[in-house]
Amino acid sequence: MIYTITFNPALDYIVRLDHLETGTINRTTQEYILGGGKGINVSIVLNNLGMDTTALGFIAGFTGQEIVTQLNQFGVTENFIRLREGLTRINVKVKASDEETEINGRGPTIADDELQALYTQLDALSDEDILILAGSIPSSLPSDMYERIMERLQHKHIRIIVDATKDLLTRVLPYKPFLIKPNNHELSEIFGRTLSSKDDLVSAAKELQAKGAQHVLISMAGDGAILVAADGTVYTSKAPQGTLVNSVGAGDSMVAGFITGYEKTGSLQEALYWGIASGSASAYSENLATLNEVEALLSQVRS
């Protein structure tokens, strides 16, 4: 089973405008309300691609229940901890023709016993399972949550994938995550300098491997992706052609596609193809990637 954890899920209220003008009334041209959070996105795409997955994490109130309702409609299994107080946050994403603006909510407070309930779920995982840690940590939880989880599970030899930024990512490296997925800009932030060439990115990935990471998957939006494998082999994939519609969830879709490709074939190159096809399929659509959309792009990236 592939498990995902979303510590701070959200309902994304996405609106499109011809033009955003502050200080006055704006009229939308399109509106969407989508349950989101990086782990949730990964589980939705995994399910779309035919993989068994369970979404873990925390939800609260009527906004949290709406996320559950949407996951049920996708057919995704969930086992969220229901919080006693607060509301799952709402993120407002305003997309105008000339700019994008986001307002992200804080989310509810998670009590100690509610966190312990998640630990109990994780303690039941076996060596055959995969765990995906993705996204930010809410302020009510310790900032080293990922480290605590990986330390707790390290004796089980579970394959753990981490998709996070800055310190949240670098601090887990001693626990030897199976895969980490920074994008090129996040790598530049980690190393404090602009990494623009393939050689620079590969060199940075190998530095992260020296600190403990096994495989490093680097997404580069329209420029494709690079995978630096644990044995030092460098795999590349171009991005298929298409029109960018919505970048939200594209990176999460790449993670889901990579794991799907690897589980289906055992090939890292094929996993990379599945990853870039899945990320692109989401980027070229208003919704997250479906199997038909991914398969339609695979022939491009394999050529």
Side-chain angles (χ1 to χ4, degrees):
M1 177 67 72
I2 306 172
Y3 293 90
T4 66
I5 300 180
T6 306
F7 283 101
N8 206 9
L11 278 180
D12 287 342
Y13 177 48
I14 305 167
V15 299
R16 292 190 179 274
L17 313 171
D18 291 329
H19 175 70
L20 175 63
E21 184 176 351
T22 60
T24 187
I25 295 174
N26 294 267
R27 304 293 183 185
T28 65
T29 58
Q30 290 178 304
E31 301 177 14
Y32 308 91
I33 299 178
L34 301 175
K38 292 182 71 64
I40 288 173
N41 292 341
V42 173
S43 274
I44 290 172
V45 177
L46 282 168
N47 182 74
N48 288 349
L49 299 181
M51 305 300 289
D52 290 331
T53 179
T54 298
L56 305 177
F58 303 94
I59 59 165
F62 75 95
T63 48
Q65 186 55 47
E66 175 60 22
I67 290 177
V68 171
T69 298
Q70 292 190 17
L71 286 179
N72 288 340
Q73 291 171 348
F74 279 110
V76 176
T77 301
E78 59 83 16
N79 195 12
F80 292 121
I81 307 299
R82 272 63 173 175
L83 303 180
R84 291 186 297 272
E85 299 180 0
L87 294 172
T88 293
R89 61 188 178 142
I90 297 175
N91 295 338
V92 180
K93 301 180 183 296
V94 181
K95 299 178 181 294
S97 58
D98 52 349
E99 63 180 342
E100 295 188 5
T101 301
E102 296 189 11
I103 304 172
N104 290 346
R106 293 182 58 188
T109 298
I110 300 168
D112 289 343
D113 64 314
E114 292 166 336
L115 177 58
Q116 185 59 50
L118 176 67
Y119 284 148
T120 300
Q121 291 178 333
L122 296 177
D123 288 343
L125 269 58
S126 71
D127 293 359
E128 301 301 317
D129 294 321
I130 296 173
L131 178 63
I132 299 173
L133 304 174
S136 61
I137 304 297
S139 57
S140 61
L141 291 180
S143 61
D144 61 349
M145 274 305 309
Y146 283 6
E147 297 160 79
R148 295 186 184 202
I149 288 172
M150 294 185 72
E151 181 178 20
R152 189 181 189 97
L153 298 179
Q154 62 180 338
H155 68 285
K156 293 193 172 191
H157 308 293
I158 294 168
R159 286 176 289 170
I160 298 179
I161 292 90
V162 180
D163 183 7
T165 59
K166 296 183 179 179
D167 293 346
L168 198 58
L169 176 64
T170 57
R171 290 200 303 248
V172 303
L173 298 180
Y175 298 98
K176 303 185 185 307
F178 175 75
L179 175 75
I180 61 174
K181 196 214 71 66
N183 63 37
N184 53 330
H185 302 298
E186 290 164 350
L187 270 185
S188 295
E189 289 180 349
I190 289 172
F191 286 92
R193 63 182 188 276
T194 301
L195 304 173
S196 54
S197 69
K198 175 184 174 182
D199 289 344
D200 287 343
L201 293 169
V202 170
S203 177
K206 290 185 175 181
E207 286 190 50
L208 297 181
Q209 287 176 321
K211 295 179 180 180
Q214 296 181 49
H215 305 296
V216 181
L217 175 60
I218 306 166
S219 56
M220 302 181 295
D223 292 325
I226 299 170
L227 173 68
V228 183
D231 64 2
T233 304
V234 177
Y235 302 89
T236 61
S237 176
K238 64 181 181 180
Q241 293 184 345
T243 300
L244 177 63
V245 175
N246 181 19
S247 61
V248 175
D252 310 324
S253 301
M254 176 177 283
V255 171
F258 182 92
I259 295 303
T260 298
Y262 190 71
E263 290 296 289
K264 285 179 178 290
T265 70
S267 163
L268 289 171
Q269 179 68 77
E270 193 65 17
L272 180 59
Y273 289 153
W274 274 84
I276 193 68
S278 299
S280 299
S282 288
Y284 301 158
S285 170
E286 287 286 1
N287 300 308
L288 293 171
T290 65
L291 180 58
N292 287 341
E293 291 170 338
V294 172
E295 289 179 338
L297 295 177
L298 276 170
S299 59
Q300 282 193 51
V301 298
R302 286 175 178 148
S303 62

